Amino acid sequence: MVDLRQFEKDFDTVSAALKRRGIDERILEKVKVLFEEKKAVQKRLEAAQAEQNRKSRLFGQYKREGKDVTELQKEVAENKERIAALNEELRLLEEKLFELAATIPNLPDPDVPDGEDEEDNVEIRKVLEPKIFDFQPKEHWELAERNGWIDFERGVKIAKSRFSALRYEGARLERALINYMLDFNRDRGFEEVYVPFMANAESLFGTGQLPKFADDLFKVEGEELYLIPTAEVPVTNLFRDEILKKEDLPLRLTAYTPCFRKEAGSAGRDTRGMIRQHQFDKVELVCITAPEESDRVFEEMVACASDLLTSLGLPHRHMLLCAGDMGFSAARTVDLEVWLPGQGKYREISSISNTRDFQARRAKIRFKEEKKNRLVHTLNGSSLAVGRTLIAIMENYQQADGSILVPEVLRPYL
């Protein structure tokens, strides 16, 4: 979460950065009022503590001089109760500040462009030229029907809308992609891990999904467990509430998991096909590093995901997200958008974010340096969304007769 000490010390600067994220100014006003109330209580508490110290010294003096201490004892007792009440008032104010801070997004890096939504994102570069077809390219749901790879109707029958089933070569290619992605990432120095597909509330708080985005999560009835929305949650939380050794950093991890999202607020968007599903497969990259290494590690992660797309022969572009379009925990995000010829547009397939110390503060992930504990920086990124990669292959490798070629690097996995 945001650093409350920094917020209190330099309220105007932090508020200006958060306004770039489009935060409701009423929240900032609440924070300001709480800071002012806290400061007033602290001032009264310090005065009461100073008075207690003075009267305690006076009590000793009266004892030595044989004076009556009855009235002084009463005053000391009353002041002690006042100190206890002020401490409780301060505790409640700090609790309110913590609860409010838990709903406030991360500060954007200074060079993140201003903007409100995806229309204001900035293209950094394109990789590979889209293929020019000598026929009208089909969209993936048309190809799915032609080849029998995706069964939308039976997926809905089994569960509900925004679920689908993969069949025949579609199912095999999904599995091949997962294995290929994990092997690719491992060759780039990422340790493969396998983690639970459910997470508790503490873990989801640590990476920023709770409490603000509870409506996007599938909760297990009768349990304090949720189906994970991304492997970022369990992989990052492997180290929650731990103090790591600096010589072990950076930790580079990759994992396959299914992901589960209610997609609250997405009604009417991408209702056809497999772009926006309640359940989808993803291979994730997570890095935990010392602050001075996080920019370099971020570029390594972007390069890894981009090179993976290049190895599959998929044209894509790098987009620097504006302040208003970044995820809650991100300080900086680069999206990779893959070219879909059937749609005639680029669509997001990977999102790589540096959260700085935002998640580490929530999850209490630290490292020891010169006998002092410091917060790590955490980074995460898709490498890649498997279903969207399958879609991109279908559309980019389609043939005039509706059949689909398999990229050469995947053939050994089939």
Side-chain angles (χ1 to χ4, degrees):
M1 63 174 62
V2 291
D3 186 346
L4 280 170
R5 288 176 297 181
Q6 179 193 1
F7 208 164
E8 187 171 16
K9 183 180 177 181
D10 196 358
F11 181 85
D12 290 342
T13 301
V14 173
S15 293
L18 289 171
K19 286 175 184 176
R20 296 179 61 212
R21 298 291 309 258
I23 191 170
D24 189 334
E25 292 195 31
R26 290 174 295 182
I27 294 176
L28 296 175
E29 189 58 36
K30 284 181 183 178
V31 174
K32 187 176 184 179
V33 169
L34 287 170
F35 279 146
E36 289 170 350
E37 290 178 2
K38 179 187 171 188
K39 188 176 181 179
V41 171
Q42 283 175 325
K43 192 173 181 179
R44 297 203 304 273
L45 178 60
E46 288 167 5
Q49 288 170 334
E51 179 70 6
Q52 192 78 346
N53 291 336
R54 189 185 69 79
K55 288 185 175 179
S56 294
R57 290 193 297 271
L58 200 58
F59 188 85
Q61 181 184 330
Y62 278 20
K63 281 281 193 180
R64 288 192 299 273
E65 295 174 357
K67 292 182 179 180
D68 184 8
V69 296
T70 304
E71 187 61 31
L72 187 58
Q73 278 182 318
K74 182 181 177 183
E75 291 174 6
V76 168
E78 288 173 352
N79 198 54
K80 188 175 182 181
E81 289 179 3
R82 189 178 302 114
I83 289 171
L86 288 167
N87 272 316
E88 177 62 12
E89 190 176 349
L90 186 62
R91 185 191 68 80
L92 290 172
L93 284 169
E94 288 176 340
E95 191 174 277
K96 287 179 181 178
L97 275 166
F98 184 89
E99 290 173 356
L100 196 54
T103 68
I104 293 174
N106 200 357
L107 307 184
D109 282 353
D111 62 342
V112 166
D114 289 335
E116 296 181 2
D117 53 35
E118 61 186 21
E119 298 299 321
D120 299 313
N121 296 337
V122 177
E123 183 180 300
I124 301 171
R125 66 188 182 102
K126 285 187 171 79
V127 181
L128 302 181
E129 286 293 323
K131 176 182 176 182
I132 297 174
F133 291 85
D134 56 7
F135 58 91
Q136 180 61 43
K138 296 180 174 62
E139 297 201 46
H140 73 277
W141 57 78
E142 300 172 273
L143 295 164
E145 184 177 346
R146 158 71 173 73
N147 292 278
W149 283 17
I150 310 172
D151 194 328
F152 298 107
E153 291 182 3
R154 289 187 173 94
V156 173
K157 179 177 72 173
I158 294 167
K160 64 174 185 176
S161 62
R162 295 188 187 270
F163 285 89
S164 56
L166 297 178
R167 304 186 66 188
Y168 308 110
E169 298 305 308
R172 294 185 66 206
L173 193 56
E174 179 91 355
R175 178 160 57 89
L177 280 166
I178 292 167
N179 288 331
Y180 176 67
M181 290 175 185
L182 288 171
D183 287 348
F184 188 96
N185 295 340
R186 190 162 48 81
D187 289 343
R188 297 291 282 257
F190 290 83
E191 174 199 348
E192 183 178 341
V193 295
Y194 184 81
V195 290
F197 300 163
M198 296 184 189
N200 55 33
E202 290 84 358
S203 295
L204 286 152
F205 178 86
T207 41
Q209 285 78 18
L210 287 178
K212 193 173 179 65
F213 303 102
D215 289 345
D216 287 325
L217 303 171
F218 286 101
K219 190 175 188 301
V220 179
E221 187 176 353
E223 297 274 358
E224 273 303 306
L225 288 173
Y226 300 78
L227 297 177
I228 61 169
T230 167
E232 166 199 343
V233 176
V235 178
T236 304
N237 278 281
L238 282 170
F239 307 99
R240 176 164 50 87
D241 204 21
E242 290 188 21
I243 300 171
L244 307 172
K245 296 178 182 177
K246 186 178 182 182
E247 55 266 31
D248 292 337
L249 302 178
L251 295 170
R252 295 180 176 89
L253 307 165
T254 187
Y256 152 73
T257 67
C259 305
F260 305 90
R261 299 181 187 176
K262 284 187 177 178
E263 291 290 352
S266 67
R269 295 178 61 193
D270 298 309
T271 53
R272 294 196 69 182
M274 217 171 66
I275 287 285
R276 197 175 298 276
Q277 298 272 280
H278 290 306
Q279 175 186 320
F280 58 95
D281 289 328
K282 186 150 69 80
V283 172
E284 188 80 359
L285 301 176
V286 170
C287 287
I288 296 176
T289 181
E292 55 270 20
E293 293 290 311
S294 71
D295 286 330
R296 178 179 61 81
V297 170
F298 178 75
E299 295 303 327
E300 288 178 1
M301 293 173 70
V302 172
C304 182
S306 180
D307 291 349
L308 176 53
L309 281 166
T310 300
S311 74
L312 291 166
L314 295 174
H316 58 282
R317 64 180 183 177
H318 295 214
M319 301 292 293
L320 178 62
L321 267 55
C322 68
D325 197 37
M326 291 194 301
F328 178 79
S329 296
R332 183 181 190 82
T333 299
V334 167
D335 274 5
L336 302 183
E337 296 181 347
V338 70
W339 175 253
L340 296 181
Q343 292 191 20
K345 63 174 69 172
Y346 287 94
R347 298 299 303 267
E348 179 200 337
I349 195 168
S350 174
S351 191
I352 300 103
S353 295
N354 191 338
T355 78
R356 304 296 179 187
D357 59 11
F358 185 86
Q359 291 180 332
R361 184 173 290 106
R362 299 170 75 100
K364 298 183 178 68
I365 308 174
R366 296 143 291 169
F367 71 101
K368 190 171 287 292
E369 183 178 50
E370 296 178 355
K371 299 183 180 179
K372 291 184 179 180
N373 293 336
R374 296 178 61 195
L375 292 171
V376 299
H377 280 193
T378 64
L379 304 93
N380 62 80
S382 317
S383 180
L384 303 158
V386 182
R388 291 194 179 191
T389 310
L390 176 63
I391 288 169
I393 288 171
M394 291 172 71
E395 293 200 14
N396 282 278
Y397 283 87
Q398 62 181 292
Q399 306 299 298
D401 63 358
S403 62
I404 301 162
L405 290 179
V406 173
E408 192 170 338
V409 293
L410 292 178
R411 292 173 190 174
Y413 291 86
L414 293 169

